Amino acid sequence: MNKSLALFCGLVLLSGSLAGAARADEMPGMTMASGPMSHMSMTTLRASNAADRERAAAIVVSAKAVMAQYTDVASATRDGYKKFLPTIELPMEHFTNDAYAVEAYGGHLNPAHPTSLIYERKGAQLRLVGVMYTAARTASDDQLNAMVPLSVAQWHKHVNYCFPPAGTKGDARFGLGGTIASKDACDAVGGRWMPQLFGWMVHVWPLESDPKTQWAVDHPGDSHHSM
């Protein structure tokens, strides 16, 4: 395993440890509506063309086939998907497969291996509504375009995150929906600064009929940011 891949694997494991230990008051903003755009970076849409539309449509078909296999959480966990932030209930639950995340890091999109399955929570019920594909945080626009065409979808990444000091609760300055968006401001209040959380990601909602909503950042009709 080369050094870059070893580092990525370490980050995957760190993410898992963070998720397992996190408290709701330490991870504000993870389920908030979009929030300030200073906390999200998105790729620029390129000019539309037929070849890209055809390629994107093929990914949607494959993603829908994957979803047919994992309509219930038990089947997902059986095949290696684990709930992100397992101690916290979220309106949109991501079940992530670390092996597929490592696979995606190499820059090749396998539509049959989404990094995450996205379940919508309605009380105690979880309904599979979409999938998420990922790429390395260092991926270029051209690399992202080779995986999912940038003329159809906008990849996004979460940036400028300030973790609140221990014991902080309900402070709107922190998190992905917070007002703090610079290291200096975060340091000034004793927060923990992280310029980027995770890598690039793109959501697919195969059950939607309109290609625009199939590739929307958030699930159509949902008021919560789904990561």
Side-chain angles (χ1 to χ4, degrees):
M1 179 180 294
N2 61 41
K3 290 182 179 180
S4 296
L5 185 54
L7 175 59
F8 177 76
C9 292
L11 290 173
V12 168
L13 294 175
L14 175 61
S15 173
S17 298
L18 175 68
R23 301 192 307 270
D25 60 303
E26 286 192 322
M27 298 295 287
M30 296 301 285
T31 61
M32 293 180 65
S34 297
M37 285 306 294
S38 55
H39 294 294
M40 181 180 286
S41 177
M42 301 179 70
T43 55
T44 301
L45 279 172
R46 296 183 176 183
S48 178
N49 64 81
D52 280 358
R53 291 193 295 272
E54 183 176 347
R55 184 157 61 97
I59 295 173
V60 171
V61 170
S62 294
K64 190 172 184 178
V66 171
M67 289 177 61
Q69 303 175 47
Y70 300 115
T71 54
D72 61 279
V73 169
S75 59
T77 55
R78 179 196 63 215
D79 285 355
Y81 285 93
K82 297 177 293 185
K83 176 173 151 43
F84 180 74
L85 297 179
T87 62
I88 303 173
E89 288 191 356
L90 302 172
M92 285 289 184
E93 299 283 12
H94 285 58
F95 281 71
T96 298
N97 188 307
D98 290 347
Y100 293 165
V102 172
E103 182 181 278
Y105 175 77
H108 172 69
L109 179 78
N110 183 342
H113 291 174
T115 297
S116 298
L117 304 172
I118 306 173
Y119 291 85
E120 181 181 40
R121 178 177 293 280
K122 295 293 185 182
Q125 301 298 315
L126 292 177
R127 181 175 70 94
L128 183 60
V129 293
V131 305
M132 182 175 78
Y133 297 104
T134 58
R137 65 174 57 202
T138 56
S140 67
D141 279 7
D142 285 343
Q143 289 172 322
L144 296 174
N145 182 64
M147 297 174 74
V148 175
L150 299 186
S151 65
V152 176
Q154 287 183 283
W155 289 79
H156 68 278
K157 59 183 178 181
H158 298 289
V159 297
N160 302 334
Y161 192 97
C162 185
F163 285 90
T168 302
K169 295 182 180 180
D171 192 325
R173 295 176 298 174
F174 300 99
L176 290 177
T179 57
I180 296 176
S182 72
K183 186 178 186 304
D184 288 345
C186 187
D187 290 344
V189 295
R192 292 171 290 156
W193 177 251
M194 187 173 290
Q196 182 175 334
L197 288 174
F198 319 114
W200 286 99
M201 53 193 77
V202 64
H203 297 146
V204 189
W205 316 106
L207 302 182
E208 298 297 316
S209 57
D210 185 343
K212 290 184 178 179
T213 54
Q214 287 174 341
W215 293 98
V217 174
D218 294 326
H219 184 243
D222 182 70
S223 61
H224 295 84
H225 181 51
S226 51
M227 274 195 49

